[in-house]
Amino acid sequence: MNSIWVILLAAGQSSRLQKQGIAQKKQFLSWKGYPLFWHSALKFAKIPEIKGIICTFPPEDVSYAQNLTKELKKKKPLGIPFYPVPGGELRQDSVYNGLKNLPQECDYVLVHDAARPFFSAKLVVNLIEAFTQDLGGVIPGLACKDTIKKVSQNLVLKTLARKQLMAVQTPQFFPKDTLIKAHEKAQEENFTATDDASMVENLGLSIRVIPGEEKNIKITTKEDLNMLTENTPTPVPCVGFGYDVHRYGGPRPMILAGVPIPGGPTVFAHSDGDVLYHALTDAILGCLGAGDIGEHFPDSDPQHEGQSSSVFLTEALHMAQKQNLRLMHIDLTIVAQVPKLAPYKKQIKKNIAGLTGLRSDQINVKATTEEGLGFTGSKKGIKAIAVVTAIKEEVGETES
Ligand code: MG
């Protein structure tokens, strides 16, 4: 198969939704963090044979769509060209405008309604594979479950034979030249069609139907929009716990969350011995289900010798970002008999806010003693406890 391009139709006015009181056009509705049309684009972009996408928008929305697309490409790149172009009054006018904007090297076209975001990449591959040169195109269809009647003025004219009926979907696959011819013939004959296959049929060519997908519905009514809500995963809250101890009397000067504590007891450590950053890093790893700081930054690794522990924290924060883990709150407790830590709490909080991007009301720093008890009480060491509250968000990915 040579070069396949997609004409993605996002030029609808959502008139049925508007009648139901929803002002926003459905192609721009947000689902899992992206507008509806971008979900189709992301899915097509995964298929290696597909070389680019022409997307039609209502003419008044094209410049908005251009800016929006620039942002979307930064957030979630497609890896193939995506060109917004104006659509027309009728669906077929939009497709024809898309056809006129296709590059010379394009041989085959997939036409798809952006209001169908739930199709699978597998369906597209099946369409492409089912095409043979004797055909005018390949489309997905499902057997009708309902009995369909021809009706005029609320009176039944005829009951159609259900066995012969199929409900067809998009994407629909055609050779580019065939589809252009079909559209030009339809224009000459003033033939209005609700899908592209009808126009290719009108050329006298055969269209093959392959099994469509039940989930590949077209978002048309307010009720359909609920499908989007149901498909949005609920953010999952999680809590991570971190605990760390360092022994006094070692070679490293005391440092807490990057704040030097002049005159404080020195500590034993392979890294810089920042007990607070260690506990915090472990708490974040706890939220991620990703083990502990020793697994990620072993103290046998000479690279970490004397290293600033902000590096460990930053790395854990990167891991959090990659897994869509959003930190909501950090609560820290430092336990030490000596030194007095109250004067440093403000700067500690500031450093943590700087690295995590949290507001100061989302970070709490406490310092306490153990009343002379235990190893902290006997001034043999320091411990730190961190509790991180976060939300796991699954955004952006649509399945297969
Ligand atoms: Mg440690």
Side-chain angles (χ1 to χ4, degrees):
M1 207 51 77
N2 303 347
S3 164
I4 303 172
W5 277 63
V6 174
I7 296 176
L8 186 58
L9 301 172
Q13 295 292 342
S14 305
S15 45
R16 267 175 282 199
L17 280 178
Q18 269 176 9
K19 275 181 210 150
Q20 289 181 294
I22 292 168
Q24 196 180 25
K25 290 171 192 162
K26 62 192 166 196
Q27 56 273 46
F28 296 119
L29 284 172
S30 180
W31 174 50
K32 291 187 180 179
Y34 300 102
L36 221 44
F37 72 89
W38 201 246
H39 287 277
S40 292
L42 285 168
K43 217 167 286 178
F44 283 120
K46 278 189 194 165
I47 299 160
E49 290 93 336
I50 294 176
K51 299 292 185 260
I53 299 170
I54 305 282
C55 190
T56 68
F57 289 96
E60 67 275 18
D61 295 327
V62 173
S63 69
Y64 167 69
Q66 274 163 346
N67 289 331
L68 180 62
T69 305
K70 256 185 230 160
E71 290 307 307
L72 291 167
K73 281 178 181 169
K74 272 187 228 158
K75 212 168 140 193
K76 187 95 181 166
L78 291 180
I80 57 169
F82 180 97
Y83 302 123
V85 300
E89 199 181 323
L90 299 175
R91 183 187 186 279
Q92 69 203 68
D93 301 333
S94 294
V95 176
Y96 190 65
N97 210 22
L99 285 168
K100 283 193 297 189
N101 280 285
L102 286 173
Q104 196 66 39
E105 81 265 10
C106 164
D107 304 310
Y108 295 91
V109 184
L110 282 154
V111 182
H112 183 63
D113 294 314
R116 293 185 189 268
F118 305 126
F119 70 101
S120 72
K122 181 87 182 91
L123 177 64
V124 181
V125 173
N126 290 346
L127 287 164
I128 297 170
E129 283 177 354
F131 181 78
T132 48
Q133 291 301 331
D134 55 320
L135 294 170
V138 185
I139 63 174
L142 289 175
C144 276
K145 288 184 207 153
D146 299 321
T147 299
I148 310 280
K149 293 180 192 284
K150 199 172 167 183
V151 175
S152 173
Q153 292 176 329
N154 294 327
L155 286 173
V156 173
L157 297 178
K158 195 182 175 189
T159 298
L160 303 171
R162 192 171 65 177
K163 270 190 179 164
Q164 293 183 340
L165 297 172
M166 284 198 115
V168 308
Q169 308 176 331
T170 68
Q172 300 190 346
F173 181 77
F174 310 97
K176 180 179 78 175
D177 294 340
T178 304
L179 192 58
I180 291 174
K181 246 184 255 163
H183 272 264
E184 284 170 354
K185 185 161 189 262
Q187 282 168 17
E188 278 161 29
E189 296 173 0
N190 247 334
F191 171 52
T192 307
T194 50
D195 79 340
D196 293 273
S198 327
M199 288 180 269
V200 177
E201 290 152 44
N202 193 38
L203 287 177
L205 294 172
S206 302
I207 301 287
R208 173 166 293 157
V209 184
I210 65 159
E213 293 176 328
E214 293 284 353
K215 66 174 181 181
N216 183 18
I217 65 145
K218 189 174 181 181
I219 310 277
T220 311
T221 64
K222 211 171 170 177
E223 289 68 39
D224 298 335
L225 284 180
N226 295 336
M227 297 267 304
L228 300 185
T229 339
E230 282 159 20
N231 275 285
T232 306
T234 321
V236 184
C238 60
V239 172
F241 179 85
Y243 176 79
D244 195 37
V245 168
H246 281 261
R247 193 152 54 90
Y248 285 165
R252 310 268 186 230
M254 182 177 277
I255 187 165
L256 292 171
V259 182
I261 313 293
T266 54
V267 298
F268 283 98
H270 181 68
S271 66
D272 68 352
D274 193 323
V275 72
L276 197 51
Y277 272 167
H278 292 182
L280 179 53
T281 302
D282 260 348
I284 295 168
L285 293 173
C287 289
L288 292 167
D292 59 42
I293 193 168
E295 289 172 39
H296 294 273
F297 315 102
D299 57 14
S300 54
D301 187 343
Q303 192 194 315
H304 302 314
E305 183 158 1
Q307 186 168 49
S308 160
S309 299
S310 64
V311 173
F312 307 148
L313 178 58
T314 307
E315 184 54 36
L317 289 167
H318 280 162
M319 289 168 69
Q321 238 168 20
K322 274 191 217 152
Q323 294 183 41
N324 288 321
L325 182 87
R326 189 150 54 100
L327 267 52
M328 302 303 290
H329 195 86
I330 294 173
D331 191 15
L332 301 165
T333 305
I334 310 159
V335 186
Q337 196 68 36
V338 284
K340 280 222 167 313
L341 296 172
Y344 305 104
K345 287 199 315 196
K346 212 172 158 186
Q347 187 58 42
I348 287 174
K349 202 165 158 166
K350 219 173 159 183
N351 283 5
I352 292 171
L355 284 181
T356 59
L358 292 179
R359 298 184 313 262
S360 82
D361 64 313
Q362 294 175 300
I363 302 166
N364 190 43
V365 182
K366 303 186 291 286
T368 186
T369 71
E370 287 183 305
E371 304 271 340
L373 297 169
F375 71 82
T376 67
S378 54
K379 303 174 190 172
K380 286 182 179 156
I382 184 168
K383 60 175 143 180
I385 295 147
V387 176
V388 167
T389 314
I391 285 177
K392 255 179 202 158
E393 287 172 322
E394 294 167 46
V395 288
E397 281 302 328
T398 55
E399 77 284 5
S400 69

